[in-house]
Amino acid sequence: SEGRLIDDQFLDEMRAILFKTDMGYDSIEKIVDEVATKMRGRVVTLEEVVATWKAKLTELMAQENSPIKFAESGPTVIMVCGVNGAGKTTSIAKLAHLLKSQGKTIVLGAGDTFRAAAVEQLTIWSKRLGVNLVTGEQGAHPASVAYRAVEECISTGADVCIVDTAGRLQTQKNLMAELTKIQQSIRKLIPEAPHEVLLVLDATTGQNGISQASNFTEAVDCTGIILAKLDGTAKGGVVVAIKQQVGLPVKYVGVGEQPEDWALFNPVDFVDALFAEIGATSTASA
Amino acid sequence: MFEALQDGLTSAFKTLRGKGKLSEANMRDGLKLVEKSLLEADVSFPVVRQFMADVTEQAVGEKVLKSLDPSQQVVGLIYQELVNMMGPVDNSLHLLGKDQVTVLMMCGLQGSGKTTTCGKLGRMLKESGRKPLMVAADLQRPAAIDQLHVIGEQLGIEVFSDRGQKDPVTVCNEALKQAKKLGADVVILDTAGRLHVDDELMGQLQRIDRQCNPHQAYLVVDGMTGQDAVNSAKAFNEALELDGVILTKMDGDARGGAAISVKHVTGVPIKFIGTGEHLDALEEFHADRMAGRILGQ
Ligand SMILES: Nc1nc2c(ncn2[C@@H]2O[C@H](COP(=O)(O)OP(=O)(O)OP(=O)(O)O)[C@@H](O)[C@H]2O)c(=O)[nH]1
Ligand SMILES: Nc1nc2c(ncn2[C@@H]2O[C@H](COP(=O)(O)OP(=O)(O)OP(=O)(O)O)[C@@H](O)[C@H]2O)c(=O)[nH]1
Ligand SMILES: [K+]
Ligand SMILES: [Mg+2]
Ligand SMILES: [Mg+2]
């Protein structure tokens, strides 16, 4: 398209594009300031400017090729946490499906002993996927379920234990302390576990995602994010602010309700989707 | 209320004190703070833009009141305008008489809180002397039927389900047929979560809507939703002609700007807010409280 002068109106149009992504005020104003100071008065195309953001964001959001850090010996324990309804249980099914397809044996721990039919939900998944499941008796403490799941994993020589937890808002002090307890009880069996603590974030989440990431990380040292529900129209841009402010990388994305609706987080695809409206070409050339 | 914003504005408007009139220029820094506050609360960007333009227009030319700090004067205007935008408030479920069956339908994106909210409404109705019947019309999510049954048992409320059935439209029709026989005067349909861009599932929801003709169709929206709230709410409203919105998970620290976004694109009232996982955690929506929260109380 035609080149344009970078002026106030141009910067304002930039804001309109950027804010729709949920990247958040501070991250966005930083980008806009940079364009304003470095490029004001120049004639450019919007696509050119977008390409420079895309290159930077792709670099910021880069991650390792194999995002799960497996234990050097013995079972790997993965704990999954997040706010209510984010997609934890479904993501566990997807992750189990992936790991199983890589030849790993898996034990699931039904650590949500609170929500109505949460155990039944995970039971159905474990049957569909053909993986082992440890559940607690009614009203059992989630820490004891997690403990028994890890124990089962060790005693059966399984490779990976994935522990589900009940949804909780990051402001609920007691429930956040309970999460820490679950982690501690896992450590009684394997001191360096859990090897991964994955925070599930709903892609439709706005700026509250930042407080989710920082509070959960404070309670249980999250190692990464699963960005669920990326199959809708929300782009999950708040993970950019989370990466900048909390340092948590995104590891996987959820793109549907079935076990195979799951992918490794790809920063290029993610960033392309953030600015899909602009129709600029891939960042590869930027 | 909203002290942080108020403090910021007080210093932004320091030089304004005693000056004659508010103008776009002398309010600029202050208005920028207001805009930031709204965006950090997740109010949709185009809505914020429009809102700021409207408020600025209203404020420009007004005399700086000697009796007030100019920041209070501007904040008052903004607060009132936010309250107006979220009104008129209507918390009524518009129930028919007890001799008839009122049908309420819950719909929304996955995980927004529909099933829990069915229970909360059922509990509220039961307490007010009604006979609710909850219908398990989510045949998709694993154990969704069990979830509603557990909630029904906890509350002593009848649940209709048909585990053999594959079509939720049939389940809803059947439930309505049996409602009278079961002594119910309100039927609450718990539909499956779905994406507004999923044509097949949106079509299914429209079939339920057309065949069961719910008296009230409510969109259940996660209170932590960001800029996407306008997209999903618009699509659900276009498909169903919503009668109301219920905003959930407001017990956390989310500022809840989605309330304004959703109200703006649908025009329908926000009926309730969900304030916890327990089945009594449902409150009537208050536009004034919500406005305070959005401005960062
Ligand atoms: N479209 C879509 N739906 C998803 C995705 N992941 C999960 N869901 C749906 O979101 C809803 C909630 O998912 P759950 O896995 O039960 O979420 P949770 O975090 O375990 O919920 P709680 O345990 O109640 O806190 C279900 O209807 C899932 O099918 C996804 O990637 N895309
Ligand atoms: N903290 C809090 N949690 C809530 C609230 N409302 C619902 N939840 C929780 O959010 C999660 C999802 O709630 P559901 O009622 O299963 O949501 P849904 O919309 O029926 O989900 P799907 O049927 O999978 O689309 C559960 O963990 C609920 O306990 C609320 O107001 N506050
Ligand atoms: K999405
Ligand atoms: Mg769960
Ligand atoms: Mg449900």
Side-chain angles (χ1 to χ4, degrees):
Chain A
S1 65
E2 294 249 320
R4 285 182 45 195
L5 186 69
I6 296 190
D7 54 11
D8 282 344
Q9 195 197 334
F10 185 94
L11 295 173
D12 228 42
E13 283 172 35
M14 276 179 47
R15 282 197 187 89
I17 295 161
L18 288 161
F19 270 104
K20 277 194 197 151
T21 66
D22 283 317
M23 265 164 49
Y25 199 89
D26 294 335
S27 311
I28 291 170
E29 289 303 325
K30 215 170 101 188
I31 294 178
V32 174
D33 279 351
E34 218 175 86
V35 174
T37 52
K38 286 197 189 144
M39 302 169 93
R40 190 185 283 275
R42 273 175 52 188
V43 173
V44 293
T45 64
L46 191 54
E47 285 81 355
E48 272 177 84
V49 181
V50 172
T52 63
W53 309 338
K54 283 169 115 181
K56 277 196 185 147
L57 291 174
T58 305
E59 201 181 299
L60 172 75
M61 300 307 294
Q63 71 155 341
E64 298 156 66
N65 254 340
S66 57
I68 299 288
K69 191 182 94 203
F70 291 98
E72 277 170 25
S73 65
T76 300
V77 182
I78 302 171
M79 181 172 157
V80 177
C81 60
V83 297
N84 307 85
K88 295 174 290 299
T89 307
T90 311
S91 296
I92 287 172
K94 295 171 179 177
L95 182 58
H97 176 71
L98 171 79
L99 296 176
K100 192 180 176 217
S101 76
Q102 297 172 349
K104 297 199 157 51
T105 47
I106 292 150
V107 175
L108 302 182
D112 180 356
T113 56
F114 177 78
R115 215 214 53 219
V119 174
E120 287 81 351
Q121 185 186 2
L122 198 61
T123 304
I124 292 174
W125 279 124
S126 75
K127 283 186 185 146
R128 276 193 207 164
L129 298 169
V131 299
N132 202 345
L133 172 73
V134 173
T135 62
E137 319 75 54
Q138 184 68 34
H141 195 283
S144 82
V145 179
Y147 184 91
R148 291 203 298 100
V150 175
E151 206 172 39
E152 170 84 5
C153 192
I154 295 170
S155 72
T156 57
D159 301 311
V160 183
C161 180
I162 313 178
V163 179
D164 194 8
T165 62
R168 67 201 75 218
L169 298 185
Q170 71 277 16
T171 48
Q172 296 166 321
K173 294 233 159 57
N174 293 344
L175 295 181
M176 294 308 282
E178 178 192 89
L179 208 55
T180 311
K181 267 204 194 112
I182 298 174
Q183 189 178 39
Q184 285 163 348
S185 88
I186 293 170
R187 286 184 178 153
K188 282 185 203 152
L189 289 164
I190 305 176
E192 59 277 15
H195 305 82
E196 294 286 345
V197 180
L198 301 177
L199 174 71
V200 180
L201 189 83
D202 184 327
T204 61
T205 311
Q207 299 313 295
N208 192 250
I210 302 169
S211 130
Q212 291 174 28
S214 66
N215 288 22
F216 275 96
T217 298
E218 194 176 310
V220 286
D221 290 319
C222 297
T223 56
I225 289 173
I226 294 171
L227 188 56
K229 309 185 198 174
L230 207 52
D231 45 328
T233 49
K235 316 284 200 218
V238 71
V239 298
V240 170
I242 291 175
K243 184 71 206 284
Q244 286 172 330
Q245 295 176 37
V246 188
L248 268 191
V250 184
K251 299 202 168 192
Y252 291 102
V253 299
V255 290
E257 300 189 74
Q258 299 309 315
E260 48 290 339
D261 298 331
W262 175 256
L264 203 63
F265 175 73
N266 178 330
V268 174
D269 293 347
F270 169 76
V271 170
D272 272 344
L274 281 185
F275 304 111
E277 271 176 58
I278 311 298
T281 45
S282 152
T283 46
S285 58
Chain B
M1 234 191 285
F2 34 92
E3 274 132 26
L5 177 62
Q6 186 83 64
D7 289 350
L9 286 177
T10 302
S11 72
F13 287 149
K14 208 168 265 160
T15 55
L16 253 176
R17 219 176 266 278
K19 293 255 171 72
K21 285 182 177 166
L22 295 172
S23 72
E24 221 175 308
N26 65 26
M27 286 191 298
R28 185 165 295 135
D29 290 347
L31 291 177
K32 189 93 190 145
L33 289 177
V34 175
E35 185 180 68
K36 176 174 188 213
S37 186
L38 296 175
L39 288 168
E40 287 186 332
D42 292 318
V43 181
S44 153
F45 183 80
V47 178
V48 171
R49 269 289 142 88
Q50 185 60 49
F51 178 82
M52 294 310 298
D54 292 347
V55 179
T56 309
E57 197 185 293
Q58 275 189 50
V60 165
E62 273 193 41
K63 269 197 148 155
V64 175
L65 297 175
K66 289 253 155 46
S67 56
L68 280 179
D69 176 339
S71 74
Q72 282 172 344
Q73 189 179 343
V74 175
V75 158
L77 195 101
I78 282 159
Y79 173 75
Q80 197 48 53
E81 207 45 42
L82 281 180
V83 174
N84 293 347
M85 259 184 106
M86 287 186 282
V89 172
D90 165 18
N91 300 122
S92 168
L93 297 175
H94 297 283
L95 301 175
L96 306 175
K98 287 186 187 176
D99 54 331
Q100 296 174 72
V101 177
T102 312
V103 180
L104 311 177
M105 178 169 78
M106 302 295 131
C107 63
L109 298 176
Q110 286 97 343
S112 62
K114 296 172 293 299
T115 307
T116 310
T117 305
C118 282
K120 290 177 178 181
L121 286 175
R123 179 186 173 279
M124 198 183 79
L125 288 164
K126 191 181 171 208
E127 298 234 308
S128 72
R130 290 281 177 159
K131 285 264 308 184
L133 170 72
M134 303 195 290
V135 180
D138 178 357
L139 307 179
Q140 211 163 289
R141 168 179 171 156
I145 297 176
D146 297 317
Q147 186 187 359
L148 197 64
H149 273 287
V150 171
I151 292 173
E153 263 158 48
Q154 284 172 1
L155 297 169
I157 292 175
E158 188 102 35
V159 172
F160 179 92
S161 67
D162 179 355
R163 288 178 195 270
Q165 187 48 250
K166 292 256 174 333
D167 181 13
V169 186
T170 311
V171 173
C172 292
N173 279 330
E174 201 50 42
L176 289 192
K177 264 189 225 152
Q178 297 198 27
K180 267 267 167 64
K181 205 169 67 204
L182 292 167
D185 52 27
V186 186
V187 171
I188 310 172
L189 307 175
D190 178 28
T191 67
R194 67 200 75 220
L195 289 174
H196 53 291
V197 286
D198 186 329
D199 291 338
E200 195 185 319
L201 290 184
M202 288 304 280
Q204 178 195 76
L205 195 59
Q206 283 177 308
R207 282 199 297 284
I208 299 177
D209 185 48
R210 251 178 267 133
Q211 296 193 24
C212 301
N213 247 313
H215 299 91
Q216 296 271 292
Y218 294 149
L219 181 68
V220 180
V221 178
D222 187 322
M224 299 179 280
T225 311
Q227 296 289 318
D228 194 50
V230 285
N231 300 326
S232 50
K234 187 160 181 276
F236 274 97
N237 192 41
E238 276 165 9
L240 301 175
E241 295 185 28
L242 299 170
D243 299 287
V245 167
I246 297 173
L247 207 61
T248 62
K249 309 181 198 173
M250 293 305 288
D251 40 323
D253 59 357
R255 299 259 297 277
I260 293 192
S261 310
V262 169
K263 172 73 197 191
H264 178 83
V265 293
T266 66
V268 301
I270 301 166
K271 297 271 173 187
F272 296 98
I273 59 169
T275 55
E277 292 191 73
H278 289 284
L279 298 170
D280 56 359
L282 187 71
E283 295 174 11
E284 287 188 343
F285 175 76
H286 292 277
D288 49 352
R289 289 183 205 165
M290 199 66 216
R293 182 170 181 151
I294 288 169
L295 291 176
Q297 55 201 181

